[in-house]
Amino acid sequence: MRFVIKGKRPLHGRVKVHGAKNAVLPIIAASILCEGDSVITQVPHLEDVHTAVEVMSRLGMDARLRGSTLILRPAGLSSYEAPYDLVGRMRASFLVTGPLVARLGRARISLPGGCAIGSRPIDLHLKGLEALGATVRQGHGFVEVSADRLRGSRVYLDYPSVGATEHLMMTAALAEGTTIIENAAEEPEIVDLANYLSGAGASIHGAGTKIIRVEGVPSLRGAHHQVIPDRIEAATYMVAAALTGGRVEVEGVVPDHLKAVTAKMREMGISVFEDENSVLVDATRRRPQAVNVKTMPYPGFPTDMQAPFMVLLAVSEGMSVVTETVFENRFIHVGELRRMGVEVQVDGRAAMVHGQSQLQGAIVAATDLRGGAALVLAGLAAIGTTEVRGVEHVDRGYDGFDVNLRKLGANIRRVRLVAAEESEASGLGLGPTASGS
Ligand code: UD1
């Protein structure tokens, strides 16, 4: 599948964001912990969500997505094994490990492989589960975790990993006694997971701060929960407005969650107006100015916005430095962006971007989710036609990306490749790879 984009059309209008992918995935995994049913609303239609639903079904649960409502019935939970084809497709599947151990006493999970944006180890997850009393064995590409009973403990995370914080917080909800997670990640998606778990009967304090305290309970009942808005989807539309010199209101957001991106845009001379549930980006008056960006754990600048933001810097006035501190090897989009006229030099974890007055349309290939979104954005800003291949990557994280962009005035079409081109594309490594971002 590919997008064909004719660029240089300023975006105007309103766009509404969906529920957050990175909130709903851990919530789906956490539903395993419950004895009763959960009903999750504002669920985005994304490849990753469909994969998570498939994981639940393979574990024996009844998981159904109707519109944007997901119903999770854990009564049939029976399998403790998550196979390679699913974990390989999406790293977040690994989050089922702790909940399976808590409910069934064991889990056998295919080791998530390396992926497009760095090696992404799981050591913090495993050390945390061991601290909660689990035994961990690895071999033949699988990790096996077991425990007759989990006990609360004090866990210090060497790095505030989002996934490890979520994994340990949800597992500790059913452990005996108190768990304290120190140097926890503070992302809004962690708070959302804590709210879901609390609604199901868990006792969690401090989610959204560096220290989370979980008092284990004997059982959880399930909950009704509405997923928070997707701040990365929202920020992507903000950038799309800015780099086309447009004016777009992004609705259904929590402006507080977007603070790091909003601040950077304002520093660039772009007008951003915040309302209770929306942000309005106006870049109609002047060309944005260069600015330095450093990715950090929340509330710092999100690593998931690094690639899309680089495209905005590429059309701004002056030289910007982008420093990636969260993931190694997250500049893989740079090669394709260069083919569109983006001038950028990479030195380790830093990239120097020289602002251009003009990008050029080209045939490019997405190899990961956010890098793929960056290529689409570059196409919107470029003169001439851009063809972005490997759109499957983009579909993992953006519900109706092309539809929304078209509503804002972009000239973008989704085109199916014919069979021969499809196999050529996968031969070039353009097929899906796990990247969980
Ligand atoms: C989540 C998000 C992803 C986002 C990332 C950072 C989901 C589904 N994905 O990914 O979109 O880019 O947070 O905001 O929510 N690390 C270790 N050992 C571990 C775990 C992580 O060294 O056991 C390292 C990673 O390699 C990486 C850093 O910690 O360098 C951050 O990773 P982490 O916060 O865990 O990201 P994810 O939860 O995988």
Side-chain angles (χ1 to χ4, degrees), residues 27 63 118 133 177 212 242 271 280 290 366 403 410:
I27 288 172
I212 301 177
S271 303
L280 172 70
V403 177

Side-chain angles (χ1 to χ4, degrees), residues 57-82:
S57 306
R58 294 264 202 109
L59 296 174
M61 283 183 46
D62 184 6
R64 282 166 208 220
L65 184 59
R66 298 254 185 279
S68 59
T69 300
L70 177 62
I71 301 168
L72 296 153
R73 296 196 169 96
L77 179 71
S78 51
S79 168
Y80 53 82
E81 184 161 328

Side-chain angles (χ1 to χ4, degrees), residues 21-22 25-26 91-92 117 119-125 159-164 166 187 231 303-304 326-328 330 370 436-437:
K21 166 179 93 75
N22 286 353
L25 296 179
R91 273 181 61 89
I117 57 170
S119 62
R120 299 182 86 167
I122 47 163
D123 54 321
L124 298 172
H125 297 240
Y159 184 88
S161 151
V162 176
E166 292 166 345
E187 269 68 1
R231 62 196 166 96
T303 171
D304 286 347
V326 179
F327 286 107
E328 54 180 290
R330 208 176 187 177
R370 305 300 170 187
S437 54

Side-chain angles (χ1 to χ4, degrees), residues 2 44 77 91 124 145 179 224 240 280 294 297 352 369 400:
R2 62 192 157 175
L77 179 71
R91 273 181 61 89
L124 298 172
V145 184
T179 296
H224 275 62
L280 172 70
K294 192 179 201 173
M352 260 172 309
L369 165 53

Side-chain angles (χ1 to χ4, degrees), residues 299-357:
F301 191 92
T303 171
D304 286 347
M305 279 311 292
Q306 182 256 107
F309 213 82
M310 185 182 281
V311 182
L312 176 58
L313 300 175
V315 295
S316 300
E317 203 171 322
M319 198 197 80
S320 309
V321 179
V322 179
T323 311
E324 172 59 61
T325 77
V326 179
F327 286 107
E328 54 180 290
N329 194 22
R330 208 176 187 177
F331 286 134
I332 30 170
H333 49 281
V334 160
E336 293 299 85
L337 284 178
R338 280 201 191 108
R339 302 186 51 246
M340 299 183 69
V342 172
E343 246 192 66
V344 49
Q345 275 120 35
V346 176
D347 184 7
R349 295 204 158 201
M352 260 172 309
V353 185
H354 304 266
Q356 302 292 303
S357 51

